[in-house]
Amino acid sequence: MEKKSNKYYLTLSLKEYANGETEPAKELGLQFDNHDEIFGIIERIKDKNIFEDPNEAAQFAIGLKLFSEIKLKHRKNPLFDELNEVFPLFMKKLKSL
């Protein structure tokens, strides 16, 4: 039986290059599933005031959820061997804040 997951679509747009140029414009649309409701996680991270900037809290939450879902899905991949030991500790620490 397949686990139920939330379905998301994320759009990433490059608005301006480091040199100030705006062309060529780039955009990536990414469809993905996640077992968590990410908008709620963003709000909880913002409420914890871990970062002064609420945008950084949102960036952190989105990045963490994208990364952790892939890590979970591919946990037997040798790339994640070291992280599999410490990542649960990190998540427990984050949740305890």
Side-chain angles (χ1 to χ4, degrees), residues 67-79:
F67 173 76
S68 63
E69 194 74 9
I70 294 298
K71 190 194 86 48
L72 184 63
K73 186 176 180 181
H74 298 280
R75 67 179 148 267
K76 294 187 190 276
N77 186 317
L79 175 65

Side-chain angles (χ1 to χ4, degrees), residues 43-70:
E43 289 307 312
R44 288 195 297 276
I45 296 291
K46 285 180 179 179
D47 291 345
K48 290 177 186 285
N49 292 317
I50 300 169
F51 309 103
E52 291 180 23
D53 184 344
N55 286 325
E56 287 182 356
Q59 290 172 51
F60 173 77
I62 292 167
L64 180 64
K65 291 314 305 172
L66 288 172
F67 173 76
S68 63
E69 194 74 9
I70 294 298

